[in-house]
Structure formats: C-alpha cells, structure tokens
Amino acid sequence: MRPASGFEIVAARLWNVLNEGKSFHPVFVLGTFLLLHAGELAGAGFWGRALPALALAAPLVALFVVYDFPLRLRWALWAFLAAFVLLFRFADLAAAALALGLYVFFTVFFWGTLYYHLRTGAPWTNFLRFWRLVLENPDSTSGNFLEQVPKALLALFVLEYLVAEPPALGRAAPVLGFIAAVGAASHLVHERFFDWRPVYPEGPTREVNRGEPLARRVIVVVIDGCRLDRFREARKPYIERMMRRGTVYETVETVYPARTVVCFSSMLTGAPPERHGITSNLVLRLGLRVESVFDALRRAGKSGRLVGIAHLIDAFGDDVASVTSVAHNDKIDRNLIARARRELEERDPDLLVLQLLAVDQNGHVRGTYYPEYVEQIETTDRLVEEFMGWCEERGYLEGAAVILMADHGQGRGIGAHGHLSEGERFVPFAMWGSGVGEGRVVKEPRSILDLAPTICYLLGVEPPAGSSGRVLKEGLTR
C-alpha cells in the first residue's frame, strides 16, 4: 500500500514523454538522427549541414505531432512515405534499419519485457507475444507501429536527404513544397474521414438536486481499461447480483482520446477534454481548467477522495490518495483497495473513487483477446465483493450509492486505447444502493461525462462549474 514516491511521480511523467505518440515522435526522430551521425557530432562541418536540415524538417515533425492519423487513416502515412521515395528518388537504408531496430528494441524488449517485468511481474518471455501486439496496435501511443514507423521513416529520409554531403543546390525548396503538400493532405484527410469522435452533451448541466440528498455517501469503483464485451463474457456473480438490484446502462461512451487521465478528468468534471484541458496522459500544464467534483463537494462542506496511481495526480493534485504502481499485477488492486479502506477509516469521505488497475495492465502486457484478460475481470469481481463486504461490515454502505464503471475499454494490440478502436468506445456502467432504482436497464446512449453531475445529484450539491454532463435520472428514485 506504499504511496507513489516523488521519484515515481517524476518518473511517470518522463515515461509518458516516450509513451504518448505525440511526444515520442520528435524525441525518437532526433535521437535516431544523432545516432546515425554519432561519429560526426564533434565536427563543425556536420553541424553546418545538420542545423539547416533540422530547421527545414521541423515543420514535418510538427505536422506529425499535430495529426495523429488514427486507425484507418494511418495508410495515408505510408502513401506519403512512398510519394517521397518516388518523387525524390531517395531512401536511406541505413536510417531505415537503425530506426526499425531501435523501435523494435524500445517497444518489444525495453517496454514490453523489461519495463513490464520490473513494474508488473510480467514474464521475461513476454516479448514472444508482445511483438505481435505491437504490430496490430491501433492506439495513440508510441507502440502504434503502423503510425509511428512511417512518421519516423519519412522525417528521417527528409533529414538525410537534406544533410547529404556535399549538399545539393535547390533541395530546400522542393522539400518545403512536399511538406506543404503533406500538410494540406493531412488536413483534408482528417476533415473528411476522421468522423468517429464522440458527440458530447452541450450546454451546462441543468439538473440540480436542491432538496434532500438521495445518498449519504457515493462509492465509485472504476475498473480501468475494461472492455464492455469481455466484461459481459466474464463470470462475475457478485457484480451481476448487484446490477440486478440497481440500474444498468448499456451504452455509455468514453471520450476522445480514450486515455486514462483524460477519461478520469472528464468523468470527474463532467466536461469534455477540450474544456478541462487534459488531452493525453502527458500533462504539460498540471491541474484542470475547470472545477472537479471534489471542488463542488468542498463548496458544499463535503469531502471526496480519489484512490489511484501516480499519473492521476497531474490532473487532481492533492485530491488523489496515491498508491505505487510498481507492484506485481496480482497485488496492485489489493494495494489500491487497502488504501481505499484507510481513506474511509481516516477521512470518512462523502465520495470515494477507487481506481482498480489490474485489468488494464493485463490488457497492456498480455493483450485483451487472451483468456488472462477475462480471468482478471473475474478476479476483480471477487475483490470488489470483498471490499463491499468490508464496507458493509463497518457501516460505510449505510445510505450509500455505489457506481461501478470503466474509464475506457481496450482494443487489439498492447491493450490499445486512445483512438477509439473496436472495444474502446463503450464501457460497463451500473449503479445500485441508496437513491438508485432497482431492476432497471437503460439502453439510450450516455456519456462518462454524466458521472460527475450524477454524483452531485445523489449527494445534493451543485455540479462542478463547467460541467455539461447529464444526470442519469432514469436510474434514480427521484
């Protein structure tokens, strides 16, 4: 139950620089370029060619930071790469070989084997499965082979073409013209074909409970990274029993990009990413731009706590009771639950949000289409039952409403989530207990933005300023 240390918080932020695709791309391109010319770095002649080349290639690198090319749009990147080779009759095989070698080493061996072994206890042989997961991965991370590799190769080919010795006259103008054409094509591709982003509720939250609270306490259990279809497949007798006693929402949609810190920020503010300001797990500007449910509770003289791992601190600061994520995957959820018990005993909060991480980590390390993923959901069911039994024994469920959900699902590959591929978009969502109707099933589409205003309605407080989510009144008794 160790809290995340200061070192772990900083390390998590540094890791996200390499984990998130937008930040990985410039770091990887620059690092590979310098390694290609390691023997020339001390020479002034090299830098006389390299600095102009870096300046000319910078717009292309920036373009690939702005545009993700998610899912089926990735093939445009390979078309751009082929167009450069054909138009300029140039391909640097040494750059390609080094880039592919470094990429495979980083994703398959460093990330998929060493990192996950040290952090979660994954087997040393994990690379035997992980290489296949990287090849089919569709998310917004650096592990997305079909997005990151063509981006890197094109940027490196441009750099090597420009830095050639002796430099060919007139190369700068054609390259800039090519980059401009890639920029225009990228804009058109995204405008016309990027059409699967969620539609969020608009306008401020209008439903406010100005009467008596429906619940004395709200406990939210978030099974991080739980696919809805695999959740339905799993044997989970306790959760299913409680779902029958409450209300189940069958079509609850996550946000874009479907990254953990982004999703938690939307869940607990009621605001879309564009409004709360958290748009990836790499948080460059710490804190939220809008109020959270914890702020709303403080205004009303109530309290809330979020029990989770270090990277949630970047958005929620001191409202997070952190637990180190450096733990074997069969221990991490027990550690988080132990911290949740401690928060209830020491602080007795009106709202407790508990992040359970093992399902998400299992998907990342071993893939979501393997039996281990469903088995981990089944293990989570037993842990939730134990935790709720403990809460009931000590009176924490008296007058309490319980909400069970996921922040996002997971797709193919390395537990992919970000670009809303199949398996990511819709999440499990159910609630039961005080103020919740029994035996109800709601099929109409809802959003994870609806969590914050629903919590506030149950507790009888004003929703967070900036919330546009809708109270899930179909599942409430009034």
Side-chain angles (χ1 to χ4, degrees), residues 80-352:
F80 297 156
L81 178 61
F84 179 84
V85 172
L86 291 173
L87 289 172
F88 292 86
R89 298 182 181 181
F90 181 88
D92 192 305
L93 297 183
L98 180 61
L100 287 171
L102 289 172
Y103 184 82
V104 170
F105 172 77
F106 171 70
T107 56
V108 176
F109 294 99
F110 179 81
W111 179 357
T113 305
L114 175 63
Y115 170 78
Y116 277 140
H117 176 79
L118 296 176
R119 180 180 161 186
T120 72
W124 282 112
T125 56
N126 204 46
F127 64 89
L128 296 174
R129 179 184 295 184
F130 207 78
W131 71 268
R132 290 191 292 268
L133 302 181
V134 169
L135 286 179
E136 65 182 10
N137 188 38
D139 68 14
S140 57
T141 71
S142 56
N144 186 336
F145 180 93
L146 291 176
E147 180 183 331
Q148 297 302 329
V149 168
K151 282 183 174 181
L153 290 181
L154 181 53
L156 286 167
F157 284 3
V158 167
L159 280 169
E160 291 304 299
Y161 180 74
L162 292 169
V163 83
E165 185 179 12
L169 294 176
R171 286 187 175 182
V175 166
L176 289 175
F178 176 80
I179 293 172
V182 169
S186 299
H187 177 75
L188 290 173
V189 165
H190 282 75
E191 282 292 308
R192 183 161 184 177
F193 300 111
F194 191 10
D195 56 3
W196 61 90
R197 283 188 253 205
V199 177
Y200 304 122
E202 295 183 358
T205 300
R206 288 181 288 273
E207 305 96 333
V208 180
N209 179 9
R210 304 188 188 281
E212 288 296 314
L214 277 68
R216 176 185 171 274
R217 186 193 321 274
V218 175
I219 297 175
V220 182
V221 179
V222 183
I223 307 175
D224 200 308
C226 186
R227 285 181 64 118
L228 180 57
D229 55 352
R230 303 294 265 167
F231 176 79
R232 288 170 173 164
E233 292 173 22
R235 295 185 297 273
K236 47 190 185 306
Y238 173 76
I239 291 174
E240 288 175 356
R241 184 167 71 250
M242 302 313 294
M243 288 165 65
R244 288 192 293 270
R245 296 181 184 177
T247 298
V248 176
Y249 285 80
E250 293 191 335
T251 316
V252 175
E253 190 174 23
T254 191
V255 296
Y256 185 88
R259 305 292 288 153
T260 294
V261 184
V262 182
C263 295
F264 268 81
S265 298
S266 289
M267 288 157 48
L268 298 175
T269 63
E274 295 77 13
R275 190 177 306 144
H276 61 60
I278 306 296
T279 56
S280 77
N281 281 351
L282 176 61
V283 181
L284 298 177
R285 178 183 180 272
L286 299 182
L288 299 158
R289 295 179 187 170
V290 298
E291 280 191 341
S292 72
V293 68
F294 305 111
D295 298 316
L297 290 171
R298 273 190 286 271
R299 279 194 280 105
K302 296 178 182 289
S303 65
R305 294 290 281 169
L306 168 56
V307 175
I309 61 170
H311 61 187
L312 294 176
I313 295 172
D314 291 352
F316 297 98
D318 293 338
D319 290 318
V320 179
S322 68
V323 173
T324 179
S325 62
V326 183
H328 202 285
N329 207 42
D330 62 3
K331 296 180 180 178
I332 183 64
D333 281 355
R334 291 193 178 277
N335 293 344
L336 287 159
I337 288 171
R339 183 59 188 261
R341 291 179 178 180
R342 176 177 162 186
E343 292 298 312
L344 287 169
E345 290 176 331
E346 295 183 357
R347 295 176 180 261
D348 193 27
D350 301 281
L351 168 66
L352 177 75

